[in-house]
Amino acid sequence: DGAVRNAALSLVEALARASPQAALGVALDVVAVVGASAAVTRDAHSNEIATATLSAVVPAWVESGNPLATLASALRTNGERIFGSFES
């Protein structure tokens, strides 16, 4: 359900802003949820929630010395699973 997904993502956003280290354990899962929800949720509110969540999680991930490429790869993998290959 979109409302539950948005609430969960908002919770992760709040966690990442309050305690970035605590959010790191779920960062890859968040990217997976955001990627999956992009395929089924196309409303402005859900897009705002996804953007806000990623805006909180990505800096925490990078500041901890984790490679951004790992998150990008997870997002790409999810996108390909949902939308098909991105190769032209």
Side-chain angles (χ1 to χ4, degrees):
D1 175 68
V4 172
R5 182 177 45 250
N6 286 345
L9 288 174
S10 292
L11 179 62
V12 171
E13 176 200 0
L15 175 65
R17 293 194 190 285
S19 179
Q21 291 296 319
L24 294 179
V26 296
L28 293 175
D29 294 329
V30 167
V31 168
V33 169
V34 169
S37 67
V40 296
T41 311
R42 302 199 189 277
D43 64 277
H45 177 68
S46 294
N47 289 339
E48 289 172 14
I49 297 291
T51 299
T53 302
L54 289 176
S55 294
V57 170
V58 170
W61 179 266
V62 173
E63 288 172 14
S64 292
N66 294 302
L68 186 56
T70 303
L71 281 179
S73 177
L75 191 55
R76 180 182 175 102
T77 298
N78 257 308
E80 287 180 347
R81 181 180 57 79
I82 296 163
F83 298 111
S85 177
F86 292 126
E87 300 300 321
S88 48

Short mmCIF file of all heavy atoms in Angstrom, two decimals, residues 12-48:
data_model
loop_
_atom_site.label_atom_id
_atom_site.label_comp_id
_atom_site.label_asym_id
_atom_site.label_seq_id
_atom_site.Cartn_x
_atom_site.Cartn_y
_atom_site.Cartn_z
N VAL A 12 12.23 6.41 7.90
CA VAL A 12 13.66 6.24 7.60
C VAL A 12 14.32 7.60 7.38
O VAL A 12 15.44 7.82 7.83
CB VAL A 12 13.85 5.32 6.37
CG1 VAL A 12 15.30 5.30 5.92
CG2 VAL A 12 13.38 3.91 6.68
N GLU A 13 13.62 8.50 6.71
CA GLU A 13 14.16 9.85 6.52
C GLU A 13 14.44 10.51 7.86
O GLU A 13 15.51 11.08 8.10
CB GLU A 13 13.21 10.71 5.70
CG GLU A 13 13.71 12.14 5.57
CD GLU A 13 12.65 13.14 5.20
OE1 GLU A 13 11.47 12.77 5.05
OE2 GLU A 13 13.00 14.33 5.10
N ALA A 14 13.47 10.46 8.77
CA ALA A 14 13.64 11.06 10.09
C ALA A 14 14.80 10.41 10.84
O ALA A 14 15.60 11.09 11.48
CB ALA A 14 12.35 10.93 10.89
N LEU A 15 14.91 9.10 10.75
CA LEU A 15 16.01 8.38 11.39
C LEU A 15 17.35 8.82 10.82
O LEU A 15 18.29 9.08 11.56
CB LEU A 15 15.82 6.87 11.20
CG LEU A 15 16.95 5.98 11.70
CD1 LEU A 15 17.06 6.09 13.22
CD2 LEU A 15 16.70 4.54 11.28
N ALA A 16 17.42 8.92 9.50
CA ALA A 16 18.69 9.32 8.85
C ALA A 16 19.09 10.73 9.24
O ALA A 16 20.28 11.03 9.39
CB ALA A 16 18.56 9.20 7.34
N ARG A 17 18.11 11.60 9.41
CA ARG A 17 18.43 12.98 9.80
C ARG A 17 18.83 13.07 11.28
O ARG A 17 19.71 13.84 11.64
CB ARG A 17 17.26 13.90 9.49
CG ARG A 17 17.03 14.03 7.99
CD ARG A 17 16.13 15.19 7.63
NE ARG A 17 15.74 15.15 6.24
CZ ARG A 17 16.50 15.47 5.21
NH1 ARG A 17 17.74 15.84 5.41
NH2 ARG A 17 16.03 15.43 3.97
N ALA A 18 18.20 12.28 12.12
CA ALA A 18 18.49 12.33 13.55
C ALA A 18 19.73 11.53 13.92
O ALA A 18 20.50 11.93 14.80
CB ALA A 18 17.29 11.79 14.33
N SER A 19 19.91 10.39 13.27
CA SER A 19 21.04 9.51 13.59
C SER A 19 21.51 8.83 12.30
O SER A 19 21.13 7.68 12.03
CB SER A 19 20.60 8.46 14.61
OG SER A 19 21.65 7.60 14.90
N PRO A 20 22.32 9.53 11.52
CA PRO A 20 22.73 8.99 10.21
C PRO A 20 23.32 7.59 10.29
O PRO A 20 23.04 6.76 9.43
CB PRO A 20 23.76 10.01 9.72
CG PRO A 20 23.40 11.28 10.41
CD PRO A 20 22.86 10.86 11.76
N GLN A 21 24.10 7.32 11.31
CA GLN A 21 24.71 6.00 11.42
C GLN A 21 23.67 4.89 11.56
O GLN A 21 23.84 3.80 11.04
CB GLN A 21 25.69 5.95 12.61
CG GLN A 21 26.93 6.78 12.41
CD GLN A 21 27.77 6.27 11.25
OE1 GLN A 21 27.95 5.09 11.06
NE2 GLN A 21 28.28 7.20 10.46
N ALA A 22 22.59 5.19 12.24
CA ALA A 22 21.54 4.19 12.44
C ALA A 22 20.84 3.85 11.12
O ALA A 22 20.35 2.73 10.95
CB ALA A 22 20.52 4.69 13.45
N ALA A 23 20.80 4.79 10.21
CA ALA A 23 20.11 4.56 8.93
C ALA A 23 20.96 3.77 7.94
O ALA A 23 20.43 3.24 6.97
CB ALA A 23 19.71 5.90 8.31
N LEU A 24 22.24 3.66 8.19
CA LEU A 24 23.12 3.01 7.22
C LEU A 24 22.78 1.54 7.01
O LEU A 24 22.91 1.02 5.90
CB LEU A 24 24.58 3.15 7.64
CG LEU A 24 25.11 4.58 7.60
CD1 LEU A 24 26.56 4.62 8.06
CD2 LEU A 24 24.96 5.18 6.22
N GLY A 25 22.32 0.89 8.05
CA GLY A 25 21.99 -0.53 7.94
C GLY A 25 20.84 -0.82 7.00
O GLY A 25 20.72 -1.93 6.48
N VAL A 26 20.02 0.18 6.75
CA VAL A 26 18.87 -0.02 5.87
C VAL A 26 18.99 0.76 4.56
O VAL A 26 18.06 0.76 3.76
CB VAL A 26 17.54 0.36 6.58
CG1 VAL A 26 17.28 -0.55 7.76
CG2 VAL A 26 17.53 1.82 6.98
N ALA A 27 20.15 1.38 4.34
CA ALA A 27 20.30 2.23 3.16
C ALA A 27 20.03 1.49 1.85
O ALA A 27 19.31 1.97 0.98
CB ALA A 27 21.69 2.86 3.14
N LEU A 28 20.59 0.31 1.71
CA LEU A 28 20.38 -0.45 0.47
C LEU A 28 18.93 -0.88 0.33
O LEU A 28 18.37 -0.89 -0.77
CB LEU A 28 21.33 -1.65 0.39
CG LEU A 28 22.80 -1.28 0.25
CD1 LEU A 28 23.67 -2.53 0.30
CD2 LEU A 28 23.07 -0.50 -1.03
N ASP A 29 18.30 -1.22 1.45
CA ASP A 29 16.88 -1.58 1.41
C ASP A 29 16.02 -0.38 1.01
O ASP A 29 15.05 -0.52 0.27
CB ASP A 29 16.42 -2.11 2.77
CG ASP A 29 17.08 -3.43 3.13
OD1 ASP A 29 17.39 -4.21 2.21
OD2 ASP A 29 17.28 -3.67 4.33
N VAL A 30 16.40 0.80 1.50
CA VAL A 30 15.66 2.01 1.15
C VAL A 30 15.75 2.26 -0.35
O VAL A 30 14.75 2.55 -1.00
CB VAL A 30 16.19 3.23 1.95
CG1 VAL A 30 15.66 4.53 1.37
CG2 VAL A 30 15.83 3.09 3.40
N VAL A 31 16.94 2.12 -0.89
CA VAL A 31 17.11 2.31 -2.33
C VAL A 31 16.25 1.31 -3.09
O VAL A 31 15.62 1.65 -4.10
CB VAL A 31 18.60 2.20 -2.71
CG1 VAL A 31 18.78 2.11 -4.22
CG2 VAL A 31 19.36 3.39 -2.16
N ALA A 32 16.18 0.08 -2.60
CA ALA A 32 15.35 -0.93 -3.26
C ALA A 32 13.87 -0.54 -3.21
O ALA A 32 13.16 -0.66 -4.22
CB ALA A 32 15.56 -2.29 -2.59
N VAL A 33 13.40 -0.08 -2.07
CA VAL A 33 11.99 0.31 -1.93
C VAL A 33 11.68 1.51 -2.81
O VAL A 33 10.66 1.54 -3.50
CB VAL A 33 11.64 0.61 -0.46
CG1 VAL A 33 10.27 1.27 -0.35
CG2 VAL A 33 11.68 -0.67 0.36
N VAL A 34 12.57 2.51 -2.82
CA VAL A 34 12.35 3.69 -3.65
C VAL A 34 12.32 3.30 -5.12
O VAL A 34 11.45 3.73 -5.87
CB VAL A 34 13.42 4.77 -3.37
CG1 VAL A 34 13.36 5.88 -4.41
CG2 VAL A 34 13.24 5.34 -1.97
N GLY A 35 13.24 2.43 -5.52
CA GLY A 35 13.26 1.98 -6.91
C GLY A 35 12.01 1.21 -7.28
O GLY A 35 11.42 1.42 -8.34
N ALA A 36 11.58 0.33 -6.40
CA ALA A 36 10.38 -0.47 -6.67
C ALA A 36 9.13 0.39 -6.67
O ALA A 36 8.24 0.21 -7.50
CB ALA A 36 10.25 -1.59 -5.63
N SER A 37 9.07 1.37 -5.78
CA SER A 37 7.87 2.19 -5.71
C SER A 37 7.75 3.11 -6.92
O SER A 37 6.65 3.51 -7.29
CB SER A 37 7.82 2.98 -4.41
OG SER A 37 8.84 3.95 -4.37
N ALA A 38 8.86 3.42 -7.54
CA ALA A 38 8.81 4.28 -8.73
C ALA A 38 8.00 3.62 -9.85
O ALA A 38 7.39 4.31 -10.66
CB ALA A 38 10.22 4.58 -9.21
N ALA A 39 7.98 2.30 -9.86
CA ALA A 39 7.25 1.59 -10.91
C ALA A 39 5.75 1.59 -10.68
O ALA A 39 4.98 1.51 -11.63
CB ALA A 39 7.75 0.15 -10.99
N VAL A 40 5.33 1.68 -9.43
CA VAL A 40 3.90 1.56 -9.13
C VAL A 40 3.25 2.83 -8.59
O VAL A 40 2.04 2.94 -8.56
CB VAL A 40 3.65 0.41 -8.12
CG1 VAL A 40 4.04 -0.93 -8.73
CG2 VAL A 40 4.37 0.64 -6.82
N THR A 41 4.07 3.79 -8.19
CA THR A 41 3.54 5.00 -7.59
C THR A 41 4.03 6.20 -8.38
O THR A 41 5.21 6.46 -8.45
CB THR A 41 4.03 5.14 -6.13
OG1 THR A 41 3.79 3.91 -5.46
CG2 THR A 41 3.30 6.24 -5.41
N ARG A 42 3.11 6.92 -8.96
CA ARG A 42 3.51 8.05 -9.80
C ARG A 42 2.86 9.36 -9.35
O ARG A 42 2.71 10.27 -10.14
CB ARG A 42 3.15 7.75 -11.25
CG ARG A 42 3.81 6.50 -11.76
CD ARG A 42 3.83 6.48 -13.27
NE ARG A 42 4.26 5.21 -13.78
CZ ARG A 42 5.51 4.82 -13.91
NH1 ARG A 42 6.48 5.61 -13.54
NH2 ARG A 42 5.81 3.64 -14.39
N ASP A 43 2.50 9.45 -8.09
CA ASP A 43 1.88 10.69 -7.63
C ASP A 43 2.94 11.61 -7.02
O ASP A 43 4.00 11.17 -6.60
CB ASP A 43 0.76 10.40 -6.62
CG ASP A 43 1.27 9.75 -5.37
OD1 ASP A 43 1.47 8.52 -5.37
OD2 ASP A 43 1.50 10.48 -4.39
N ALA A 44 2.64 12.88 -7.00
CA ALA A 44 3.59 13.90 -6.54
C ALA A 44 4.01 13.69 -5.09
O ALA A 44 5.18 13.84 -4.74
CB ALA A 44 3.00 15.29 -6.73
N HIS A 45 3.05 13.33 -4.22
CA HIS A 45 3.38 13.15 -2.80
C HIS A 45 4.38 12.01 -2.62
O HIS A 45 5.37 12.16 -1.89
CB HIS A 45 2.10 12.88 -2.00
CG HIS A 45 2.38 12.62 -0.55
ND1 HIS A 45 2.85 13.60 0.30
CD2 HIS A 45 2.26 11.49 0.20
CE1 HIS A 45 3.01 13.09 1.51
NE2 HIS A 45 2.65 11.80 1.48
N SER A 46 4.16 10.89 -3.28
CA SER A 46 5.09 9.76 -3.17
C SER A 46 6.47 10.12 -3.71
O SER A 46 7.49 9.72 -3.15
CB SER A 46 4.54 8.54 -3.91
OG SER A 46 3.37 8.08 -3.28
N ASN A 47 6.51 10.88 -4.79
CA ASN A 47 7.79 11.32 -5.33
C ASN A 47 8.52 12.23 -4.35
O ASN A 47 9.74 12.13 -4.19
CB ASN A 47 7.59 12.05 -6.67
CG ASN A 47 7.20 11.10 -7.78
OD1 ASN A 47 7.42 9.90 -7.70
ND2 ASN A 47 6.60 11.65 -8.82
N GLU A 48 7.78 13.10 -3.66
CA GLU A 48 8.39 13.98 -2.66
C GLU A 48 8.95 13.17 -1.50
O GLU A 48 10.04 13.47 -1.00
CB GLU A 48 7.37 14.98 -2.13
CG GLU A 48 6.98 16.04 -3.13
CD GLU A 48 5.82 16.91 -2.66
OE1 GLU A 48 5.49 16.88 -1.45
OE2 GLU A 48 5.25 17.62 -3.50
#
